[in-house]
Amino acid sequence: MDTKLLARIGAVIFIAIAITMTAIEMSRAPETARAEPAAVAETSAMDPLLIELRRCQSIGAAGASDPACLRAWGENRRRFLAPGARPAPRIADDTSAKEN
């Protein structure tokens, strides 16, 4: 067979499959929004670090110079990077444990 003919047949098959998949996807009913799991909602409401991180996110660029935000980001890094680290009961108030 000619190479051009094989390429055309392959292109037609690819387009047919793409159209079929699009039609199947469009015929599906839209999924309803899932509610946030209760365990995550309870944890986020009780975690002072998460509350502080959300506050820092809401103030935007001003958070880069806010000492409380810098402390919260440092604690978040410590929690994320430390192997087997347990979350601290609250954000440390002293600045003696600064990151390098």
Side-chain angles (χ1 to χ4, degrees), residues 70-83:
L70 295 174
R71 242 188 352 262
W73 288 328
E75 173 65 17
N76 192 40
R77 276 191 304 275
R78 187 194 66 76
R79 284 187 188 185
F80 183 76
L81 297 174

Side-chain angles (χ1 to χ4, degrees), residues 1 4 7-9 11 17 24-25 35-36 38 41 45 50 53-55 63 68 73 76 78-79 81 86 93 97 100:
M1 278 190 160
K4 285 185 177 181
R8 287 180 183 165
I9 290 173
I17 290 172
I24 290 171
E25 194 63 35
E36 188 174 330
L50 185 58
L53 289 171
R54 286 184 178 164
R55 184 191 71 81
W73 288 328
N76 192 40
R78 187 194 66 76
R79 284 187 188 185
L81 297 174
R86 291 253 184 225
D93 289 331
N100 291 340

Side-chain angles (χ1 to χ4, degrees), residues 36-48 50-51:
E36 188 174 330
V40 173
E42 291 172 8
T43 304
S44 65
M46 299 174 74
D47 187 9
L50 185 58
I51 294 168

